Protein backbone atom coordinates (compact mmCIF):
# COMPACT_ATOMS: atom_id res chain seq x y z
CA UNK A 1 0.00 0.00 0.00
CA UNK A 2 2.86 2.43 0.75
CA UNK A 3 4.20 1.98 -2.78
CA UNK A 4 0.78 2.66 -4.21
CA UNK A 5 0.43 5.90 -2.28
CA UNK A 6 3.94 7.03 -3.21
CA UNK A 7 3.21 6.49 -6.91
CA UNK A 8 0.09 8.67 -6.62
CA UNK A 9 2.26 11.57 -5.40
CA UNK A 10 3.52 13.86 -8.16
CA UNK A 11 6.56 15.49 -6.60
CA UNK A 12 8.62 17.38 -9.16
CA UNK A 13 8.63 20.08 -11.77
CA UNK A 14 6.67 17.98 -14.27
CA UNK A 15 3.34 18.71 -12.62
CA UNK A 16 4.44 22.08 -11.27
CA UNK A 17 4.44 23.47 -14.81
CA UNK A 18 0.85 22.38 -15.29
CA UNK A 19 -0.40 23.44 -11.86
CA UNK A 20 1.09 26.90 -12.22
CA UNK A 21 -0.65 27.39 -15.56
CA UNK A 22 -4.13 26.05 -14.97
CA UNK A 23 -6.41 24.07 -12.71
CA UNK A 24 -9.02 21.52 -13.54
CA UNK A 25 -9.64 17.81 -14.05
CA UNK A 26 -6.80 15.61 -15.27
CA UNK A 27 -7.77 12.04 -16.36
CA UNK A 28 -4.97 9.49 -16.04
CA UNK A 29 -5.30 5.97 -17.50
CA UNK A 30 -4.18 3.03 -15.34
CA UNK A 31 -2.71 0.04 -17.16
CA UNK A 32 -1.89 -3.16 -15.24
CA UNK A 33 0.19 -5.94 -16.81
CA UNK A 34 1.39 -7.65 -13.62
CA UNK A 35 1.43 -11.43 -14.31
CA UNK A 36 0.49 -12.25 -10.71
CA UNK A 37 -2.77 -10.32 -11.17
CA UNK A 38 -3.94 -12.02 -14.33
CA UNK A 39 -1.61 -10.39 -16.84
CA UNK A 40 -3.79 -7.46 -17.85
CA UNK A 41 -6.14 -4.90 -16.38
CA UNK A 42 -6.98 -1.25 -16.39
CA UNK A 43 -8.71 1.65 -14.79
CA UNK A 44 -8.67 5.40 -14.51
CA UNK A 45 -7.70 8.10 -12.05
CA UNK A 46 -9.40 11.50 -12.10
CA UNK A 47 -7.29 14.18 -10.46
CA UNK A 48 -8.33 17.74 -9.71
CA UNK A 49 -5.37 20.12 -10.04
CA UNK A 50 -5.41 22.99 -7.56
CA UNK A 51 -3.57 26.25 -8.13
CA UNK A 52 -0.11 26.58 -6.55
CA UNK A 53 -0.02 30.39 -6.58
CA UNK A 54 1.05 30.48 -2.92
CA UNK A 55 4.41 28.90 -3.73
CA UNK A 56 7.29 30.78 -5.33
CA UNK A 57 9.40 27.71 -6.10
CA UNK A 58 9.59 26.69 -9.74
CA UNK A 59 9.65 22.99 -8.87
CA UNK A 60 6.71 22.99 -6.45
CA UNK A 61 4.67 19.81 -6.94
CA UNK A 62 1.11 20.07 -8.09
CA UNK A 63 -1.59 19.97 -5.44
CA UNK A 64 -3.86 17.13 -6.56
CA UNK A 65 -7.05 15.61 -5.17
CA UNK A 66 -8.26 12.53 -6.97
CA UNK A 67 -10.27 9.36 -7.14
CA UNK A 68 -9.13 6.17 -8.84
CA UNK A 69 -10.28 2.65 -9.59
CA UNK A 70 -9.41 -0.37 -11.66
CA UNK A 71 -9.81 -4.12 -12.27
CA UNK A 72 -7.67 -6.93 -13.68
CA UNK A 73 -8.37 -10.13 -15.63
CA UNK A 74 -8.28 -12.31 -12.50
CA UNK A 75 -11.05 -10.19 -10.89
CA UNK A 76 -8.76 -8.20 -8.61
CA UNK A 77 -10.00 -4.65 -8.10
CA UNK A 78 -9.44 -1.50 -6.11
CA UNK A 79 -10.79 2.01 -5.74
CA UNK A 80 -9.97 4.93 -3.52
CA UNK A 81 -9.34 8.62 -2.98
CA UNK A 82 -6.02 10.43 -2.51
CA UNK A 83 -4.64 13.92 -1.99
CA UNK A 84 -1.19 15.48 -2.20
CA UNK A 85 -0.31 19.06 -1.43
CA UNK A 86 2.37 21.48 -0.30
CA UNK A 87 2.52 24.19 2.35
CA UNK A 88 4.80 27.09 3.35
CA UNK A 89 6.41 27.59 -0.06
CA UNK A 90 6.97 23.83 -0.52
CA UNK A 91 8.72 23.36 2.83
CA UNK A 92 6.03 20.84 3.84
CA UNK A 93 4.58 18.09 1.65
CA UNK A 94 1.60 15.92 2.51
CA UNK A 95 0.35 12.75 0.82
CA UNK A 96 -2.60 10.67 1.99
CA UNK A 97 -5.44 8.48 0.88
CA UNK A 98 -7.89 5.67 1.52
CA UNK A 99 -8.36 2.53 -0.58
CA UNK A 100 -10.60 -0.52 -0.70
CA UNK A 101 -9.52 -3.57 -2.69
CA UNK A 102 -9.78 -7.25 -3.48
CA UNK A 103 -6.59 -8.99 -4.59
CA UNK A 104 -6.54 -12.51 -6.03
CA UNK A 105 -2.94 -13.68 -5.95
CA UNK A 106 -0.79 -16.76 -5.30
CA UNK A 107 1.72 -17.11 -2.49
CA UNK A 108 4.43 -19.73 -2.84
CA UNK A 109 5.41 -22.12 -0.05
CA UNK A 110 7.59 -25.20 0.35
CA UNK A 111 5.80 -28.53 0.79
CA UNK A 112 7.67 -31.85 0.72
CA UNK A 113 10.69 -30.08 -0.86
CA UNK A 114 8.50 -28.72 -3.66
CA UNK A 115 7.43 -25.09 -4.10
CA UNK A 116 3.66 -24.89 -4.61
CA UNK A 117 1.36 -21.90 -5.29
CA UNK A 118 -1.42 -21.22 -2.81
CA UNK A 119 -4.13 -19.02 -4.32
CA UNK A 120 -5.60 -16.47 -1.93
CA UNK A 121 -8.38 -13.89 -2.14
CA UNK A 122 -7.54 -10.90 0.05
CA UNK A 123 -10.14 -8.27 0.88
CA UNK A 124 -8.29 -5.23 2.17
CA UNK A 125 -9.06 -1.63 3.03
CA UNK A 126 -6.65 0.85 4.45
CA UNK A 127 -5.37 4.38 4.78
CA UNK A 128 -1.89 5.90 4.47
CA UNK A 129 -0.54 9.36 5.32
CA UNK A 130 2.89 10.94 4.92
CA UNK A 131 4.12 14.39 6.03
CA UNK A 132 7.57 15.49 4.85
CA UNK A 133 9.55 18.55 5.94
CA UNK A 134 12.25 20.12 3.75
CA UNK A 135 15.63 20.42 5.47
CA UNK A 136 16.66 24.01 4.88
CA UNK A 137 16.70 24.87 1.18
CA UNK A 138 17.95 21.43 0.08
CA UNK A 139 16.21 18.56 -1.69
CA UNK A 140 16.34 16.55 1.53
CA UNK A 141 13.02 15.74 3.20
CA UNK A 142 12.33 14.08 6.55
CA UNK A 143 9.06 13.26 8.24
CA UNK A 144 6.60 10.72 9.65
CA UNK A 145 4.16 8.39 7.95
CA UNK A 146 1.32 6.19 9.18
CA UNK A 147 -0.30 3.18 7.49
CA UNK A 148 -3.32 1.22 8.70
CA UNK A 149 -4.97 -1.67 6.91
CA UNK A 150 -7.32 -4.53 7.64
CA UNK A 151 -7.11 -7.67 5.52
CA UNK A 152 -9.32 -10.77 5.40
CA UNK A 153 -7.70 -13.70 3.58
CA UNK A 154 -9.63 -16.57 1.95
CA UNK A 155 -7.47 -19.38 0.46
CA UNK A 156 -8.85 -20.88 -2.74
CA UNK A 157 -7.92 -24.45 -1.84
CA UNK A 158 -9.20 -27.28 0.36
CA UNK A 159 -7.44 -30.47 1.41
CA UNK A 160 -7.41 -33.20 4.02
CA UNK A 161 -3.60 -33.37 4.07
CA UNK A 162 -2.43 -32.34 7.59
CA UNK A 163 0.76 -30.82 6.17
CA UNK A 164 -1.12 -28.65 3.73
CA UNK A 165 -3.67 -27.75 6.40
CA UNK A 166 -0.97 -26.00 8.41
CA UNK A 167 0.14 -24.02 5.35
CA UNK A 168 -3.44 -23.02 4.53
CA UNK A 169 -4.10 -21.95 8.12
CA UNK A 170 -1.05 -19.67 7.96
CA UNK A 171 -2.66 -17.65 5.15
CA UNK A 172 -6.25 -17.69 6.46
CA UNK A 173 -8.13 -15.20 8.57
CA UNK A 174 -8.27 -11.53 9.48
CA UNK A 175 -5.31 -9.33 10.39
CA UNK A 176 -4.48 -5.65 10.85
CA UNK A 177 -1.41 -3.55 10.22
CA UNK A 178 -0.72 -0.35 12.14
CA UNK A 179 2.62 1.10 11.04
CA UNK A 180 4.15 4.33 12.30
CA UNK A 181 7.46 5.28 10.75
CA UNK A 182 10.02 7.82 9.62
CA UNK A 183 10.76 8.69 5.98
CA UNK A 184 13.99 10.14 4.60
CA UNK A 185 13.97 11.24 0.97
CA UNK A 186 16.39 12.89 -1.44
CA UNK A 187 15.52 13.40 -5.09
CA UNK A 188 17.05 15.70 -7.69
CA UNK A 189 15.92 14.04 -10.92
CA UNK A 190 14.78 16.48 -13.61
CA UNK A 191 11.74 14.49 -14.71
CA UNK A 192 9.94 12.35 -12.15
CA UNK A 193 7.76 10.57 -14.70
CA UNK A 194 10.66 9.53 -16.98
CA UNK A 195 14.01 10.49 -15.36
CA UNK A 196 17.28 10.62 -17.30
CA UNK A 197 19.69 12.23 -14.84
CA UNK A 198 19.98 12.57 -11.09
CA UNK A 199 19.60 10.67 -7.83
CA UNK A 200 16.56 9.24 -6.07
CA UNK A 201 17.33 7.94 -2.57
CA UNK A 202 14.93 6.89 0.16
CA UNK A 203 14.85 5.26 3.59
CA UNK A 204 11.76 4.00 5.45
CA UNK A 205 11.86 2.88 9.09
CA UNK A 206 8.50 1.57 10.37
CA UNK A 207 7.26 -0.01 13.57
CA UNK A 208 4.05 -2.04 13.57
CA UNK A 209 2.50 -2.10 17.04
CA UNK A 210 -0.78 -2.90 18.76
CA UNK A 211 -1.03 0.69 20.05
CA UNK A 212 -0.86 1.89 16.42
CA UNK A 213 -3.75 -0.41 15.48
CA UNK A 214 -1.83 -3.53 14.40
CA UNK A 215 -2.13 -7.10 15.64
CA UNK A 216 1.59 -7.71 16.26
CA UNK A 217 4.75 -5.81 17.19
CA UNK A 218 7.54 -5.88 14.61
CA UNK A 219 10.06 -3.67 12.83
CA UNK A 220 10.17 -3.07 9.09
CA UNK A 221 12.72 -1.13 7.06
CA UNK A 222 13.34 -0.37 3.39
CA UNK A 223 16.14 1.48 1.62
CA UNK A 224 16.70 2.24 -2.06
CA UNK A 225 19.08 4.24 -4.23
CA UNK A 226 18.64 5.00 -7.93
CA UNK A 227 21.13 6.81 -10.16
CA UNK A 228 20.28 8.05 -13.66
CA UNK A 229 23.07 9.27 -15.96
CA UNK A 230 24.02 9.97 -19.58
CA UNK A 231 27.58 8.78 -20.40
CA UNK A 232 27.47 9.76 -24.09
CA UNK A 233 24.94 11.50 -26.37
CA UNK A 234 21.74 9.50 -26.97
CA UNK A 235 22.73 6.81 -24.44
CA UNK A 236 21.14 6.80 -20.98
CA UNK A 237 21.99 4.49 -18.09
CA UNK A 238 20.39 3.76 -14.74
CA UNK A 239 21.24 1.56 -11.78
CA UNK A 240 19.33 0.81 -8.61
CA UNK A 241 19.96 -0.95 -5.32
CA UNK A 242 17.17 -1.93 -2.92
CA UNK A 243 16.87 -3.74 0.36
CA UNK A 244 13.81 -4.57 2.45
CA UNK A 245 13.85 -6.18 5.89
CA UNK A 246 11.18 -7.27 8.37
CA UNK A 247 10.90 -9.21 11.61
CA UNK A 248 9.55 -12.73 11.34
CA UNK A 249 6.20 -12.27 13.13
CA UNK A 250 4.72 -10.12 10.35
CA UNK A 251 1.63 -11.38 8.47
CA UNK A 252 2.38 -13.38 5.32
CA UNK A 253 1.31 -10.66 2.85
CA UNK A 254 3.60 -8.05 4.48
CA UNK A 255 6.74 -10.16 4.02
CA UNK A 256 9.05 -8.52 1.44
CA UNK A 257 9.22 -9.98 -2.06
CA UNK A 258 11.51 -9.62 -5.07
CA UNK A 259 10.25 -6.81 -7.29
CA UNK A 260 11.82 -7.23 -10.74
CA UNK A 261 10.29 -7.19 -14.21
CA UNK A 262 9.67 -10.78 -15.31
CA UNK A 263 9.23 -12.00 -11.72
CA UNK A 264 5.59 -12.34 -10.58
CA UNK A 265 4.76 -10.39 -7.43
CA UNK A 266 4.97 -12.51 -4.25
CA UNK A 267 6.78 -15.30 -6.15
CA UNK A 268 9.90 -15.06 -3.98
CA UNK A 269 9.43 -13.83 -0.41
CA UNK A 270 11.76 -13.57 2.56
CA UNK A 271 12.31 -11.59 5.73
CA UNK A 272 15.33 -10.06 3.98
CA UNK A 273 15.31 -9.10 0.30
CA UNK A 274 18.15 -7.42 -1.61
CA UNK A 275 18.28 -6.60 -5.32
CA UNK A 276 20.13 -4.64 -7.96
CA UNK A 277 19.19 -3.84 -11.55
CA UNK A 278 20.62 -1.78 -14.39
CA UNK A 279 18.93 -0.41 -17.49
CA UNK A 280 20.34 1.16 -20.66
CA UNK A 281 18.34 3.15 -23.20
CA UNK A 282 19.43 4.27 -26.67
CA UNK A 283 17.53 7.19 -28.23
CA UNK A 284 18.25 6.12 -31.79
CA UNK A 285 15.72 8.20 -33.76
CA UNK A 286 13.87 11.36 -32.76
CA UNK A 287 11.34 10.38 -30.06
CA UNK A 288 11.95 6.62 -30.39
CA UNK A 289 14.31 4.63 -28.21
CA UNK A 290 15.07 1.03 -27.29
CA UNK A 291 16.28 -0.31 -23.97
CA UNK A 292 17.65 -3.39 -22.27
CA UNK A 293 17.84 -4.34 -18.61
CA UNK A 294 19.26 -7.03 -16.35
CA UNK A 295 19.03 -7.58 -12.61
CA UNK A 296 19.50 -10.04 -9.79
CA UNK A 297 18.16 -10.51 -6.27
CA UNK A 298 17.95 -12.78 -3.26
CA UNK A 299 15.16 -13.43 -0.75
CA UNK A 300 16.07 -15.15 2.53
CA UNK A 301 14.72 -15.44 6.05
CA UNK A 302 18.14 -14.92 7.63
CA UNK A 303 21.41 -13.53 6.30
CA UNK A 304 23.15 -16.65 7.61
CA UNK A 305 21.37 -18.42 4.73
CA UNK A 306 22.75 -16.03 2.11
CA UNK A 307 24.94 -18.61 0.35
CA UNK A 308 22.10 -21.15 0.24
CA UNK A 309 19.48 -18.70 -1.06
CA UNK A 310 18.82 -18.90 -4.80
CA UNK A 311 19.94 -16.08 -7.07
CA UNK A 312 16.88 -14.76 -8.88
CA UNK A 313 17.62 -12.95 -12.12
CA UNK A 314 15.78 -11.04 -14.81
CA UNK A 315 16.63 -9.71 -18.25
CA UNK A 316 14.72 -8.20 -21.13
CA UNK A 317 14.19 -5.27 -23.42
CA UNK A 318 11.66 -2.79 -24.67
CA UNK A 319 10.81 0.14 -26.88
CA UNK A 320 9.78 3.68 -25.90
CA UNK A 321 8.13 6.69 -27.51
CA UNK A 322 8.56 10.08 -25.82
CA UNK A 323 5.46 12.25 -25.46
CA UNK A 324 7.24 15.61 -25.43
CA UNK A 325 4.03 17.60 -25.04
CA UNK A 326 3.00 15.56 -21.99
CA UNK A 327 5.88 16.27 -19.58
CA UNK A 328 8.28 14.08 -21.58
CA UNK A 329 6.55 10.88 -20.46
CA UNK A 330 7.80 7.79 -22.27
CA UNK A 331 5.24 5.21 -23.37
CA UNK A 332 6.25 1.70 -24.42
CA UNK A 333 6.30 -2.07 -24.04
CA UNK A 334 8.76 -4.35 -22.21
CA UNK A 335 9.30 -8.09 -22.40
CA UNK A 336 11.11 -9.77 -19.51
CA UNK A 337 12.36 -13.21 -18.50
CA UNK A 338 13.37 -14.60 -15.12
CA UNK A 339 14.36 -17.98 -13.67
CA UNK A 340 11.02 -19.62 -14.39
CA UNK A 341 8.74 -16.97 -15.85
CA UNK A 342 8.11 -14.67 -18.81
CA UNK A 343 6.05 -11.48 -18.76
CA UNK A 344 5.25 -8.43 -20.85
CA UNK A 345 4.46 -4.97 -19.58
CA UNK A 346 2.93 -1.77 -20.89
CA UNK A 347 5.01 1.08 -19.49
CA UNK A 348 3.78 4.63 -18.93
CA UNK A 349 6.51 6.79 -17.44
CA UNK A 350 9.35 5.11 -15.59
CA UNK A 351 9.38 1.33 -15.04
CA UNK A 352 12.71 1.42 -13.23
Amino acid sequence: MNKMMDELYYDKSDTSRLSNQQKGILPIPIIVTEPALGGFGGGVALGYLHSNKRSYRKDTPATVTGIFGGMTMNKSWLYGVAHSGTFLNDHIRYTGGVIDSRVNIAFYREFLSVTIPLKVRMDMWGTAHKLLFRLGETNLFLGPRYIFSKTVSHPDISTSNPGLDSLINSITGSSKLGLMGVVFSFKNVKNTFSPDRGFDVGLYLDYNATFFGGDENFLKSEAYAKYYFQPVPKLYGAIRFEGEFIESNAPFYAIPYIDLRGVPAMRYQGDNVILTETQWRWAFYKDLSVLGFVGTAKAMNDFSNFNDAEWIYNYGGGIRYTLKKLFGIRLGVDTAWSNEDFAWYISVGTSF
Side-chain angles (χ1 to χ4, degrees), residues 6 130-135 138-145 181-187 200-206 222-225:
D6 286 343
K130 181 171 63 175
L131 190 64
L132 297 181
F133 299 86
R134 186 187 296 270
L135 301 182
T138 70
N139 288 322
L140 293 168
F141 285 85
L142 181 69
R145 76 167 178 176
V182 176
V183 178
F184 169 83
S185 174
F186 173 80
K187 183 182 291 188
D200 181 3
V201 180
L203 175 65
Y204 299 84
L205 299 174
D206 297 306
E222 179 182 356
Y224 69 87

Side-chain angles (χ1 to χ4, degrees), residues 15-27 48-53 62-63 327:
T15 53
S16 71
R17 295 198 302 271
L18 182 59
S19 64
N20 287 333
Q21 295 173 5
Q22 62 183 23
K23 60 181 180 179
I25 302 294
L26 177 66
Y48 178 76
L49 295 167
H50 305 261
S51 173
N52 269 348
K53 294 180 179 180
T63 296
F327 314 122

